[in-house]
């Protein structure tokens, strides 16, 4: 159980285009999902928290107009990188909070990540 | 959330126990200790978490000192597939404002 998927696993796009990344909780409901970014040789950095049916909360320094997050259902959150540039090239990872286990440890489960390369 | 300190790297022989330490001297009473690991180019994998008592599951054991200022993750019989970066994170539950914030972790190399 507690499987989180991401699609696509990798994507290459041209500078100036937009890219959408999907994050799905496959066998549990997730009212809260999180988006992280990881540059090579660095740790994960939390970008934003999304709650189903409400606006996402962005961490300091993360441009909300550039990284659009939608959490329309209990099993799906999307991250859209708008007008992507080479410096947006990174490993994007989502995680989901299992509501059913919220009182038993509040564990977050992570997706496999999406490698974005902007040319 | 309290800050954690971990050694940047460790080696372990295959088949032996891997003991990964973590210091969290400023931990508060309602903060849990979580351990995740990240194998190269993959998303982090949940390992175990605890509050006060020692915990064990099919992957590992978590030993928390009585004063809760440090903990040790134990992989009882390390294999080559356990080579990864291990993250020790301290936080309160999400509904209390807790976030899973990753530090630099410990890079564990399991050698034949």
């Amino acid at each position: 159980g507690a499987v989180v998927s991401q699609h696509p696993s990798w994507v290459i796009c041209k500078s100036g285009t937009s890219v959408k990344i999907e994050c799905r909780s496959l066998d549990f409901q997730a009212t809260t999902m999180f988006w992280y970014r990881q540059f090579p040789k660095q740790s994960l950095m939390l970008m934003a928290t999304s709650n189903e049916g409400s606006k996402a909360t962005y961490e300091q320094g993360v441009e909300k107009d550039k990284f659009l997050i939608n959490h329309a259902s209990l099993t799906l959150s999307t991250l859209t990188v708008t007008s992507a540039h080479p410096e947006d090239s990174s490993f994007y990872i989502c995680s989901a909070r299992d509501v059913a286990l919220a009182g038993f440890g509040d564990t977050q489960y992570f997706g496999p990540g999406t490698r974005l390369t902007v040319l | 959330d309290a800050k954690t300190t971990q050694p940047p790297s460790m080696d372990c022989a295959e088949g032996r126990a891997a003991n990964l330490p973590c210091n969290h001297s400023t931990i508060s009473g309602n903060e849990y200790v979580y351990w995740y690991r990240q194998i190269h180019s993959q998303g982090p994998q949940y390992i175990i978490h605890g509050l006060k008592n020692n915990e064990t599951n099919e992957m590992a054991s978590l030993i928390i000192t009585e004063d809760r200022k440090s903990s040790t993750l134990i992989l009882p019989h390390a294999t080559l597939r356990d080579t990864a970066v291990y993250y020790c994170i301290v936080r309160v539950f999400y509904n209390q404002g807790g976030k899973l914030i990753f530090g630099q972790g410990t890079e564990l190399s399991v050698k034949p």
Side-chain angles (χ1 to χ4, degrees):
Chain A
V3 177
V4 178
S5 70
Q6 281 185 243
H7 179 79
S9 55
W10 59 269
V11 57
I12 301 172
C13 70
K14 293 182 178 180
S15 185
T17 62
S18 295
V19 174
K20 180 185 284 188
I21 302 170
E22 291 186 349
C23 175
R24 294 182 185 273
S25 57
L26 297 186
D27 52 1
F28 65 99
Q29 293 185 330
T31 56
T32 309
M33 290 185 171
F34 308 84
W35 287 94
Y36 291 79
R37 180 167 59 178
Q38 185 175 33
F39 293 109
K41 304 285 187 184
Q42 295 186 23
S43 188
L44 285 79
M45 185 196 78
L46 178 64
M47 299 175 65
T49 301
S50 74
N51 288 291
E52 185 261 341
S54 63
K55 289 185 177 180
T57 302
Y58 292 82
E59 295 299 304
Q60 192 171 8
V62 177
E63 300 174 60
K64 61 181 180 181
D65 294 331
K66 181 167 187 60
F67 299 100
L68 301 180
I69 292 172
N70 183 274
H71 191 163
S73 77
L74 288 174
T75 60
L76 173 64
S77 176
T78 60
L79 169 69
T80 301
V81 183
T82 63
S83 187
H85 291 283
E87 57 266 29
D88 298 322
S89 298
S90 188
F91 192 49
Y92 291 87
I93 309 168
C94 73
S95 77
R97 177 172 165 260
D98 190 334
V99 172
L101 297 179
F104 295 94
D106 204 21
T107 303
Q108 284 177 224
Y109 298 95
F110 286 79
T114 296
R115 177 85 49 197
L116 170 64
T117 302
V118 184
L119 302 177
Chain B
D1 296 323
K3 186 176 173 58
T4 63
T5 304
Q6 299 177 253
S9 64
M10 292 181 63
D11 289 339
C12 177
E14 189 178 19
R16 304 295 294 269
N19 297 278
L20 292 93
C22 179
N23 285 320
H24 30 79
S25 58
T26 60
I27 192 170
S28 60
N30 60 346
E31 288 184 305
Y32 286 72
V33 180
Y34 287 81
W35 283 84
Y36 283 80
R37 72 180 181 183
Q38 186 178 27
I39 295 170
H40 183 63
S41 295
Q42 297 181 24
Q45 178 187 23
Y46 166 77
I47 301 174
I48 199 167
H49 75 277
L51 182 63
K52 296 180 183 178
N53 301 321
N54 298 336
E55 302 288 344
T56 295
N57 62 20
E58 64 278 4
M59 288 185 67
S61 294
L62 173 60
I63 309 298
I64 303 174
T65 57
E66 194 169 341
D67 63 7
R68 302 186 70 237
K69 292 185 177 181
S70 66
S71 60
T72 301
L73 178 74
I74 301 173
L75 307 178
H77 305 286
T79 71
L80 299 179
R81 288 184 295 181
D82 292 321
T83 292
V85 179
Y86 288 76
Y87 296 98
C88 168
I89 303 168
V90 171
R91 69 157 182 136
V92 296
F93 281 2
Y94 171 76
N95 58 9
Q96 296 176 327
K99 298 177 184 179
L100 215 56
I101 304 298
F102 288 77
Q104 296 307 306
T106 296
E107 187 166 7
L108 175 69
S109 296
V110 181
K111 300 181 184 298

